[in-house]
């Protein structure tokens, strides 16, 4: 029988034997009450490098001062069990100087893997390259700082990074939804994202309600990606850390081939953390290539037989490896993340709605948390004022670069209305690139607003 479930695959050879031994019960087995911290009794505190005996000591660690931690807990405990995506105003102490729209662009760091997927004639290696591209961003996603929620109408542009042009836009505020489009000579990337969360006290589950499609231009192949959920542990007590346990599934909608990769949950003393194992299957669900690695280091592949065992005479070959990263970076940024935040990747005649121009983001980047918090509060009030004005005028909000469609797609975490790239940005960008306007983008005032006459 073909190993259709990568969690059970390869049991005879021992190739994935470490999988079974390293999966531990992450929930109750590593949970311990925070004794002496009434009324915090019963909160889950998990040390990713320890065991149940370390939970109490772990609770005293983290980035919070005790008075801040106590105040934050008093504010947040009423939201346990709720989706807190946009209902809570959070302090900038937990933020990084980047928005969700910019974070979407981090998928483009290793876009050369999609180029390779487009160029290869091997249908199964195509899936190896494309799924490795999808895994490559998880090193960046493990950052424990929260990105800023975009303002409605906010955008982010990245110009000609390794031939890729990228645009994203905040298309809805309630619920918060973003849409993104990227393109080069080999592929187009389209994404509609609507994050859904569940606050659990000292942790939060983040459900990636969204649709991600990649079209490879040479053969017109369309790939669909369904990622695993993300769990953020120790939000208030202990050192915050991120895990993404579960399955990632990439499906070739044109041929029926697919990749199923299992992200192992973190077990006792970190066993299994970061590990990814799985297979490339053909349309008949027969395994063709096994894949293994760690999402924070590298991925490798090897040809296999119908039972999922490595073929004799073959060996593991590396397909992706993490690039060098800055040492001791405050926000755990990669070199690419710094490029995303810089104006080096900005196009000519940058849109005034671009995330780089946000005064709260920039103040935080400069280390001024007080100013960042004030600017953030000011913009959030302006956004509420715009909402009231729309309601008074009986007007809705219409995105500029993406159109809502009639399509509603099902995801493991709920239905999603799909936005599509309308092409108007390409016309705008062509005109901007041919203009003689050489305005310094740093001098542009942030302006995503629908109504320009509202008092600030």
């Amino acid at each position: 029988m073909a190993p259709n479930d990568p969690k059970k695959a390869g049991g005879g050879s021992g190739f994935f034997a470490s999988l079974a031994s390293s999966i531990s019960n992450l929930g109750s087995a590593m949970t311990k009450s925070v004794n002496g911290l009434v009324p915090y009794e019963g909160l889950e505190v998990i040390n990713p490098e320890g065991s149940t005996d370390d939970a109490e000591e772990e609770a005293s660690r983290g980035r919070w001062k005790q008075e801040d931690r106590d105040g934050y807990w008093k504010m947040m405990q009423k939201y346990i069990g709720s989706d807190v995506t946009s209902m809570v105003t959070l302090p900038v102490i937990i933020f990084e100087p980047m928005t969700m729209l910019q974070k979407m662009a981090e998928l483009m760091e290793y876009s050369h893997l999609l180029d390779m997927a487009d160029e290869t004639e091997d249908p199964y290696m195509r899936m190896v390259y494309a799924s490795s591209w999808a895994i490559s961003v998880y090193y960046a996603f493990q950052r424990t700082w929260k990105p800023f929620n975009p303002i409605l109408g906010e955008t982010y542009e990245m110009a000609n990074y390794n031939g890729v042009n990228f645009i994203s836009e905040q298309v809805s505020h309630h619920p918060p939804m973003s849409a993104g489009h990227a393109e080069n000579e080999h592929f187009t990337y389209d994404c509609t994202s609507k994050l859904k969360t569940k606050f659990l006290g000292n942790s939060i589950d983040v459900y990636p309600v969204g649709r991600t499609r990649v079209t490879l231009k040479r053969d017109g192949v369309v790939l669909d990606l369904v990622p695993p959920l993300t769990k953020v542990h120790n939000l208030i007590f202990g050192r915050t850390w991120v895990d993404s346990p579960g399955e990632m599934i990439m499906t070739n909608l044109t041929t029926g081939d697919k990749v199923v990769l299992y992200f192992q949950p973190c077990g006792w003393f970190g066993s299994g953390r970061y590990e990814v194992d799985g297979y490339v299957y053909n349309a008949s669900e027969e395994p063709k290539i096994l894949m293994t690695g760690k999402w924070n280091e590298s991925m490798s592949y090897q040809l296999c037989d119908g039972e999922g065992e490595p073929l004799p005479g073959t060996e593991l070959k590396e397909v992706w490896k993490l690039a060098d990263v800055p040492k001791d970076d405050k926000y755990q940024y990669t070199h690419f993340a710094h490029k995303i935040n810089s104006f080096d990747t900005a196009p000519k005649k940058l849109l005034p709605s671009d995330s780089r121009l946000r005064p709260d983001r920039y103040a935080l980047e400069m280390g001024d948390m007080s100013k960042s918090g004030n600017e953030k509060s000011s913009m959030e009030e302006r956004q509420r004022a715009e909402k009231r004005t729309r309601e008074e005028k009986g007007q809705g909000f219409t995105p500029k670069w993406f159109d809502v469609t009639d399509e509603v797609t099902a995801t493991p975490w709920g239905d999603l209305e799909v936005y599509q790239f309308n092409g108007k940005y390409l016309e705008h960008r062509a005109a901007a690139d041919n203009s003689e306007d050489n305005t310094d983008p740093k001098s542009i005032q942030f302006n995503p607003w629908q109504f320009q006459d509202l008092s600030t």
Side-chain angles (χ1 to χ4, degrees):
M1 179 180 294
N4 292 321
D5 185 349
K7 299 188 291 295
K8 302 176 182 177
S13 69
F15 188 82
F16 290 140
S18 62
L19 180 63
S21 64
S22 62
I23 297 176
S24 301
N25 186 344
L26 179 59
S28 59
M30 296 188 67
T31 302
K32 188 173 182 180
S33 299
V34 188
N35 296 324
L37 294 175
V38 180
Y40 314 123
E41 190 74 20
L43 276 181
E44 181 182 70
V45 180
I46 301 174
N47 182 357
E49 301 166 357
S51 66
T52 54
D53 295 333
D54 303 308
E56 188 168 352
E57 180 182 353
E58 180 67 23
S60 64
R61 302 173 179 175
R63 68 172 62 118
W64 297 92
K65 296 179 181 178
Q66 181 172 348
E67 58 270 23
D68 295 332
R69 181 187 66 189
D70 294 350
Y72 186 54
W73 169 242
K74 290 177 182 178
M75 177 184 74
M76 292 297 296
Q77 59 183 332
K78 63 183 177 182
Y79 295 109
I80 291 178
S82 301
D83 183 350
V84 294
T85 306
S86 62
M87 64 189 299
V88 180
T89 299
L90 299 172
V92 295
I93 189 176
I94 67 171
F95 280 69
E96 62 176 324
M98 183 181 286
T99 72
M100 282 299 301
L101 296 178
Q102 293 173 286
K103 206 169 180 87
M104 290 175 71
E106 289 195 82
L107 261 170
M108 295 299 117
E109 178 170 7
Y110 299 95
S111 61
H112 70 277
L113 290 166
L114 290 181
D115 297 347
M116 296 170 71
D118 183 54
E119 292 170 344
T120 184
E121 296 183 0
D122 185 323
Y124 308 123
M125 283 305 301
R126 174 184 292 146
M127 303 303 288
V128 170
Y129 292 133
S131 59
S132 297
W133 161 79
I135 288 172
S136 68
V137 77
Y138 276 83
Y139 179 87
F141 283 179
Q142 72 173 328
R143 293 200 300 266
T144 58
W145 305 91
K146 183 189 180 304
F148 285 92
N149 288 339
I151 299 294
L152 186 62
E154 184 176 333
T155 58
Y156 176 74
E157 299 177 84
M158 183 176 68
N160 197 26
Y161 175 79
N162 290 342
V164 176
N165 292 305
F166 177 92
I167 176 70
S168 56
E169 181 177 14
Q170 191 72 359
V171 296
S172 172
H173 183 56
H174 288 295
M177 294 180 65
S178 309
H181 175 84
E183 188 167 354
N184 71 359
E185 62 178 329
H186 290 288
F187 69 87
T188 59
Y189 158 89
D190 291 283
C191 177
T192 302
S193 174
K194 181 179 73 173
L195 290 182
K196 180 180 179 181
T197 64
K198 186 174 183 180
F199 179 61
L200 300 172
N202 199 36
S203 64
I204 188 169
D205 287 350
V206 182
Y207 306 100
V209 182
R211 193 186 78 167
T212 300
R213 294 279 171 87
V214 174
T215 301
L216 302 178
K217 291 186 174 180
R218 193 187 70 165
D219 296 330
V221 166
V222 179
L223 306 176
D224 179 80
L225 176 66
V226 179
L229 63 80
T230 293
K231 300 178 74 71
V232 184
H233 298 278
N234 298 354
L235 285 173
I236 304 172
F237 300 99
R239 295 166 296 175
T240 306
W241 60 283
V242 178
D243 203 14
S244 296
E247 286 185 343
M248 170 186 285
I249 301 175
M250 176 175 278
T251 305
N252 185 329
L253 300 179
T254 307
T255 66
D257 301 333
K258 67 179 179 179
V259 182
V260 181
L261 296 172
Y262 184 68
F263 287 54
Q264 295 187 33
C266 177
W268 287 352
F269 300 103
S271 67
R273 192 178 184 192
Y274 310 118
E275 293 183 12
V276 182
D277 299 285
Y279 292 93
V280 176
Y281 298 92
N282 65 14
S284 300
E285 298 193 351
E286 299 167 332
K288 292 296 181 181
I289 299 177
L290 61 85
M291 297 182 65
T292 186
K294 292 186 175 182
W295 51 258
N296 68 331
E297 292 181 5
S298 64
M299 288 297 297
S300 298
Y301 70 94
Q302 187 171 2
L303 299 179
C304 67
D305 62 21
E307 297 299 321
E309 303 295 341
L311 285 178
T314 65
E315 59 184 17
L316 276 174
K317 295 182 179 180
E318 189 175 78
V319 63
W320 165 75
K321 183 178 181 179
L322 181 73
D324 291 338
V325 298
K327 293 182 179 180
D328 302 320
D329 190 90
K330 179 178 180 179
Y331 294 105
Q332 303 165 292
Y333 277 3
T334 62
H335 291 294
F336 183 63
H338 283 291
K339 290 179 181 179
I340 284 176
N341 250 356
S342 78
F343 287 91
D344 295 341
T345 53
K348 185 178 181 180
K349 204 172 181 181
L350 184 67
L351 291 170
S353 50
D354 194 89
S355 295
R356 297 177 185 84
L357 305 172
R358 285 182 60 138
D360 55 351
R361 188 212 65 78
Y362 181 73
L364 183 59
E365 187 177 26
M366 294 297 101
D368 192 337
M369 276 198 285
S370 177
K371 182 177 181 181
S372 178
N374 291 335
E375 294 283 6
K376 177 174 174 286
S377 297
S378 177
M379 286 197 297
E380 288 171 346
E381 180 52 43
R382 173 72 181 265
Q383 183 163 231
R384 287 189 284 268
E386 286 227 326
K387 180 182 178 182
R388 292 192 294 269
T389 301
R390 275 193 298 274
E391 292 172 346
E392 292 169 0
K393 294 177 176 289
Q395 298 180 8
F397 173 79
T398 302
K400 290 183 178 179
W401 316 117
F402 296 86
D403 295 334
V404 65
T405 69
D406 294 331
E407 182 178 358
V408 176
T409 188
T411 80
W413 305 282
D415 291 344
L416 174 79
E417 58 181 0
V418 176
Y419 283 77
Q420 68 179 8
F421 183 62
N422 59 26
K424 295 178 181 178
Y425 175 76
L426 299 178
E427 299 174 6
H428 158 79
R429 180 51 40 216
D433 290 344
N434 291 324
S435 74
E436 297 182 359
D437 187 342
N438 293 311
T439 302
D440 182 356
K442 297 179 182 178
S443 68
I444 301 173
Q445 184 176 1
F446 181 61
N447 185 5
W449 310 113
Q450 183 177 3
F451 304 104
Q452 304 301 323
D453 57 348
L454 293 181
S455 172
T456 59

